[in-house]
């Protein structure tokens, strides 16, 4: 059986109750989702806008899942499409938030290493930004719920199993 795939042509800005499914899969089926890095326009020399930052790919329907079911999602692999990641420096986060110049910088990424400015190699840790199930209400004010959300964490990398509660059929 050929593994099904969802391309990044299926862009939405939120996973809400009225979203149309871009792909339907069976329970237990492995599939691929091509996502976009929210800073990818910078790689192409384009300005960053809100649409790029909130762009999501999907949603995917899982046959037979009903509201209240707990769904196991296993992240099998994460690969960079561009060979770059992005180092975000701003005054909102971190220890030195008032003492840094705000900017976004493209950083070369290989499968094992990220090279920081000054040619400093550090281990690569790919991550999932936002992942979840369709919500019964808008998720703008709730970054993470039992149905998923904006994780932005290297903890959710390859080999991770995430358990989410379905809010809708």
């Amino acid at each position: 059986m050929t593994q099904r795939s969802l391309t990044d042509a299926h862009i939405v800005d939120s996973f809400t109750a009225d979203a149309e499914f871009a792909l339907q899969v069976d329970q237990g089926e492995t599939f691929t989702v091509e996502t976009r890095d929210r800073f990818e326009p910078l790689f192409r020399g384009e300005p960053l806008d809100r649409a790029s930052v909130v762009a999501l790919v999907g949603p995917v329907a899982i046959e037979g899942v009903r509201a209240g079911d707990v769904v196991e999602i296993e992240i099998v692999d994460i690969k960079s499409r561009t060979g770059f990641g992005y180092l975000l420096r701003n005054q909102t986060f971190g220890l030195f938030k008032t003492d840094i110049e705000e900017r976004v910088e493209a950083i070369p990424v290989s499968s094992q290493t990220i090279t920081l400015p000054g040619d400093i190699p550090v281990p690569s840790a790919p991550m999932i930004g936002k992942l979840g199930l369709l919500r019964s209400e808008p998720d703008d004010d709730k970054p993470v719920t039992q149905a998923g959300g904006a994780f932005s964490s290297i903890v959710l990398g390859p080999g991770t199993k995430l358990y989410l509660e379905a809010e809708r059929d």
Side-chain angles (χ1 to χ4, degrees):
M1 183 168 144
T2 303
Q3 182 171 306
R4 287 194 269 179
S5 176
L6 180 60
T7 70
D8 69 348
H10 299 276
I11 296 291
V12 294
D13 61 5
S14 66
F15 290 152
T16 56
D18 59 348
E20 290 186 34
F21 293 111
L23 178 68
Q24 183 161 338
V25 299
D26 294 324
Q27 291 184 35
E29 181 178 350
T30 299
F31 59 96
T32 300
V33 178
E34 293 179 11
T35 62
R36 294 183 180 184
D37 185 304
R38 65 181 169 171
F39 297 115
E40 197 168 316
L42 298 174
F43 176 76
R44 297 188 303 268
E46 300 169 4
L48 200 59
D49 61 11
R50 184 185 185 319
S52 298
V53 172
V54 300
L56 301 167
V57 177
V60 175
I62 304 169
E63 184 67 36
V65 171
R66 302 290 175 246
D69 290 350
V70 174
V71 177
E72 177 188 86
I73 299 169
E74 181 178 2
I75 301 167
V76 177
D77 198 6
I78 303 172
K79 296 177 184 171
S80 172
R81 293 167 24 144
T82 63
F84 286 86
Y86 298 90
L87 177 62
L88 172 62
R89 300 176 188 161
N90 71 25
Q91 296 179 349
T92 306
F93 304 105
L95 291 173
F96 307 106
K97 56 185 165 187
T98 59
D99 299 327
I100 65 170
E101 173 188 351
E102 190 162 320
R103 67 181 190 208
V104 177
E105 190 170 340
I107 304 294
V109 176
S110 74
S111 61
Q112 303 294 318
T113 308
I114 298 170
T115 305
L116 296 176
D119 292 326
I120 301 169
V122 296
S124 176
M127 67 169 212
I128 295 292
K130 191 166 189 176
L131 179 99
L133 304 176
L134 288 184
R135 302 288 315 281
S136 54
E137 57 188 58
D139 62 357
D140 295 337
D141 61 338
K142 298 175 187 166
V144 179
T145 71
Q146 72 274 8
F151 294 100
S152 299
S153 171
I154 61 172
V155 173
L156 296 181
T160 300
K161 288 185 180 180
L162 185 62
Y163 297 88
L164 302 174
E165 183 180 345
E167 291 186 6
R168 64 161 270 198
D169 295 347

